[in-house]
Amino acid sequence: MAENMAQGLGRMREERMDVIILDANFDPLEQGVAFITREVRLLRPSERRRLFFVLVTSGVRTMDLHAAFLHNVNLVVNPSDVEQLPEALGVSIRHYNELYRPFNRALDIAPI
């Protein structure tokens, strides 16, 4: 868990992450959400496909695919449903891997 935006960006650049969970209120003084989201958007397509990006934000329904699309993430979770995050993450990653199964098989890479 990153304490601030600089630490979050540093970890993203140094470590290969399969899943990033970003709270919409992450480091507001340093615009943490904007910088982390920008870093994800700048990934090459081959790198972005290997990352499952989750946004925890109010005003959305957990696992709402349309809201996830609008936020440019793979999964949205409402903070009131955060206790359901493990189940939502499990189901969503399973669907994600199912979608990319032929692609991953062709490239001979493991699913997330």
Side-chain angles (χ1 to χ4, degrees), residues 23-85:
D23 187 303
N25 298 314
F26 177 66
D27 199 0
L29 295 176
E30 295 295 324
Q31 298 178 348
V33 172
F35 279 96
I36 298 294
T37 302
R38 180 180 174 271
E39 189 76 9
V40 171
R41 285 186 183 147
L42 291 175
L43 291 173
R44 287 179 272 161
S46 60
E47 294 170 325
R48 178 61 178 95
R49 275 190 300 272
R50 303 299 303 159
L51 175 68
F52 195 85
F53 192 28
V54 180
L55 180 64
V56 178
T57 186
S58 58
V60 299
R61 289 178 301 135
T62 296
M63 296 183 72
D64 182 334
L65 296 176
H66 185 255
F69 176 78
L70 292 176
H71 286 90
N72 199 32
V73 297
N74 301 102
L75 173 65
V76 290
V77 176
N78 190 293
S80 66
D81 297 328
V82 79
E83 70 280 348
Q84 297 174 2
L85 181 60

Side-chain angles (χ1 to χ4, degrees), residues 1-21 26 35-36 39-40 43 51:
M1 181 181 291
E3 298 289 326
N4 56 45
M5 184 269 302
Q7 189 180 55
L9 285 177
R11 285 188 179 171
M12 286 177 64
R13 291 174 179 157
E14 293 170 10
E15 303 171 24
R16 183 190 169 284
M17 297 183 179
D18 292 330
V19 178
I20 293 177
I21 301 173
F26 177 66
F35 279 96
I36 298 294
E39 189 76 9
V40 171
L43 291 173
L51 175 68

Side-chain angles (χ1 to χ4, degrees), residues 91-110:
V91 167
S92 297
I93 288 177
R94 205 168 30 253
H95 289 158
Y96 185 79
N97 285 331
E98 195 61 36
L99 175 68
Y100 281 102
R101 178 180 289 157
F103 187 79
N104 291 340
R105 188 176 297 142
L107 293 178
D108 195 28
I109 54 178

